[in-house]
Amino acid sequence: MQDHFEDDALTFRAPQRTRWYTRLWPACLGHGCFGRKRRQFQLYLIGYDPVGHLQRAASVGDVALVQKFINGSEYHINESDRRRRTSLHYACAHNHPNVVAWLVSNDSTDINIQDDEGCTPLIKATQRDNVECVSILLKQGADPHIVDFGGDAALHHAVVQGNITIAGQLLKYKANIDAKTEYGVTPYKLALYGRQHQMAEFLIKNGAEAHLGMKPNRYSFFFLQS
């Protein structure tokens, strides 16, 4: 009887493949993997998964638990994970303005702390298009001039995202409209590179210097490459 089971198993067993991940193919066919919608990871959120209890509470917007951890002295408010990401970073990345507001109301919070990529909570909130978090941070004194380790300030990230609302908030709090990256690229020039014409026009209206006298149009990208 056992021999018959083994024969049947061999009959329907998928061919053995040389690499472990190719052996997932029969399993996917059997469970309809290709009929499901593929999970889309949000830009700048890939790898931003909390590993500690405090960071996890902040990432899901659990204000009460965050308060319990901090007020009970179980964790320091600026405690970070191995990538130097604090609870404030996680709250900003996952768009929980209620957690952000509570954290920045504490005098001990380092609002401009940088993670291992040089991202402040303000930069992280800007990368994620989290307008309310950006607003709270700026009102509480977040510095819009700090650059990450790639040389980009929050305004550069707002331009890349094409988020005029956040760009306007940053300029309201005196962000340098002509700040240059380590490669000498200003927000205006970055907008042209990315064909963000509305953003480029917005920056011009707010005082950005037009490089080489260029105005935003559909040919600007090619002029910049020459």
Side-chain angles (χ1 to χ4, degrees):
M1 180 67 72
Q2 182 65 31
D3 292 340
H4 291 304
F5 279 122
E6 290 177 352
D7 289 342
D8 288 342
L10 288 172
T11 302
F12 295 98
R13 184 173 298 161
Q16 188 75 13
R17 300 175 188 271
T18 57
R19 297 184 183 276
W20 67 268
Y21 50 79
T22 60
R23 294 199 293 273
L24 294 176
W25 176 264
C28 281
L29 291 177
H31 290 84
C33 296
F34 293 97
R36 300 175 184 172
K37 185 178 180 180
R38 182 176 295 179
R39 183 181 178 187
Q40 295 295 323
F41 289 96
Q42 300 288 348
L43 186 65
Y44 298 111
L45 200 54
I46 296 175
Y48 227 88
D49 300 318
V51 294
H53 295 299
L54 175 59
Q55 287 81 16
R56 189 174 295 112
S59 71
V60 298
D62 193 334
V63 180
L65 190 55
V66 171
Q67 291 174 337
K68 177 184 176 182
F69 285 144
I70 302 301
N71 294 335
S73 300
E74 294 183 57
Y75 297 92
H76 189 276
I77 200 165
N78 294 320
E79 185 168 329
S80 62
D81 61 17
R82 64 183 181 276
R83 300 197 62 180
R84 300 201 294 274
R85 295 165 173 174
T86 66
S87 54
L88 185 56
H89 279 104
Y90 280 100
C92 289
H94 292 269
N95 195 24
H96 293 296
N98 52 345
V99 178
V100 172
W102 187 84
L103 289 170
V104 297
S105 68
N106 191 307
D107 292 336
S108 298
T109 300
D110 185 350
I111 198 171
N112 293 315
I113 193 168
Q114 293 176 282
D115 65 13
D116 66 344
E117 296 177 322
C119 292
T120 62
L122 177 62
I123 290 176
K124 184 53 62 178
T126 301
Q127 289 176 338
R128 296 292 302 119
D129 286 329
N130 295 332
V131 177
E132 192 172 352
C133 292
V134 168
S135 179
I136 293 169
L137 291 167
L138 289 171
K139 288 178 181 178
Q140 293 297 321
D143 187 350
H145 300 99
I146 296 175
V147 299
D148 61 27
F149 297 154
D152 299 316
L155 184 56
H156 292 102
H157 290 286
V159 170
V160 170
Q161 295 297 99
N163 196 315
I164 292 177
T165 300
I166 290 181
Q169 288 186 355
L170 292 167
L171 293 176
K172 179 181 177 181
Y173 284 86
K174 310 303 181 184
N176 184 0
I177 198 169
D178 291 314
K180 294 181 179 181
T181 68
E182 60 181 344
Y183 299 106
V185 180
T186 64
Y188 173 73
K189 196 170 184 179
L190 188 62
L192 294 185
Y193 272 126
R195 295 188 174 93
Q196 298 279 1
H197 304 310
Q198 288 185 336
M199 177 65 76
E201 291 173 356
F202 169 79
L203 293 172
I204 286 292
K205 290 178 181 177
N206 282 272
E209 294 183 6
H211 296 270
L212 303 177
M214 291 185 300
K215 299 297 182 183
N217 57 59
R218 63 193 183 95
Y219 302 109
S220 298
F221 178 74
F222 300 103
F223 288 134
L224 281 168
Q225 283 189 317
S226 59

